[in-house]
Amino acid sequence: MDTPGKHLSADARRAVTVETVIRLAGRQNPGSITTAAIAAEMQVTQGALFRHFPSKDAIWEAAMNWVAAELLGRIDQASADLAPLAALRAIFNAHVGFVASYPGVPRMLFGELQHPEPTPAKQVVLALLQQYRARLAAQIERGRAGGEIAAEVDTPTAAMLFIGTIQGLVMQSLLTGEIEHMQKQADAVFGLYQRGLTSCR
């Protein structure tokens, strides 16, 4: 089947496949995305798709690896050289902005975490959460040490609440279909979270 960009390199074709999966997840339930649908969206045959990925699981693992690298890269860039509370706010806004750009991503993440078996993609998601929590914990500890954040704040709990706050905001926006509303609410929601970090002082 002829397709635009049919002479892409193997690496470029894999990148386009991941991009296609992310795009499809923004339009439909990720669990219903088939390799046939991916191939059709890319205007290639399934055979061409499987020349670059041995299985659908491998496609999903590649997609989750892209999500992890992109999200962590964005929050690292946003929070670089900032004071702890400013860094946490920047991370919060960067995460919300990422979801606004790729609304299919949280659906994919939640879907993978619901798998009872340890799929390769689920392992990537779990590693992403661990690395994310470590970054948050480092900022919270810096804030406690420097007096920006109350010494009484429990760091693991505060990191968990940070992620849970974003998840709640994201889920509400996905349910209502108002992704842009999520970004409008982000500052006010983070403000409440920040008051919790500082109110014990």
Side-chain angles (χ1 to χ4, degrees), residues 12-26:
R13 178 63 68 194
R14 283 189 284 269
V16 170
T17 303
V18 167
E19 177 186 324
T20 300
V21 171
I22 300 295
R23 184 170 62 252
L24 287 172

Side-chain angles (χ1 to χ4, degrees), residues 87-118:
L88 289 171
R89 182 181 290 275
I91 291 170
F92 194 94
N93 288 331
H95 191 156
V96 169
F98 177 68
V99 173
S101 297
Y102 303 101
V105 165
R107 297 189 185 106
M108 296 178 70
L109 294 175
F110 292 137
E112 288 305 321
L113 290 173
Q114 290 175 26
H115 282 303
E117 68 276 7

Side-chain angles (χ1 to χ4, degrees), residues 84-154:
L85 284 176
L88 289 171
R89 182 181 290 275
I91 291 170
F92 194 94
N93 288 331
H95 191 156
V96 169
F98 177 68
V99 173
S101 297
Y102 303 101
V105 165
R107 297 189 185 106
M108 296 178 70
L109 294 175
F110 292 137
E112 288 305 321
L113 290 173
Q114 290 175 26
H115 282 303
E117 68 276 7
T119 66
K122 181 177 180 179
Q123 294 304 306
V124 174
V125 175
L126 292 174
L128 165 61
L129 290 173
Q130 182 178 20
Q131 293 175 67
Y132 197 138
R133 282 194 296 266
R135 284 163 165 78
L136 295 174
Q139 296 293 352
I140 293 164
E141 284 297 301
R142 280 207 308 133
R144 292 177 65 218
E148 272 198 278
I149 294 174
E152 296 84 355
V153 167
D154 179 73

Side-chain angles (χ1 to χ4, degrees), residues 61-75:
E61 182 181 6
M64 290 299 96
N65 274 317
W66 179 86
V67 168
E70 184 70 15
L71 178 56
L72 292 175
R74 286 190 181 208
I75 66 174

Side-chain angles (χ1 to χ4, degrees), residues 171-193:
M171 288 302 296
Q172 179 178 313
S173 298
L174 290 177
L175 288 171
T176 61
E178 299 176 341
I179 298 298
E180 69 284 352
H181 192 54
M182 173 179 59
Q183 291 180 290
K184 293 177 182 177
Q185 287 185 310
D187 279 341
V189 171
F190 182 82
L192 288 174
Y193 173 80

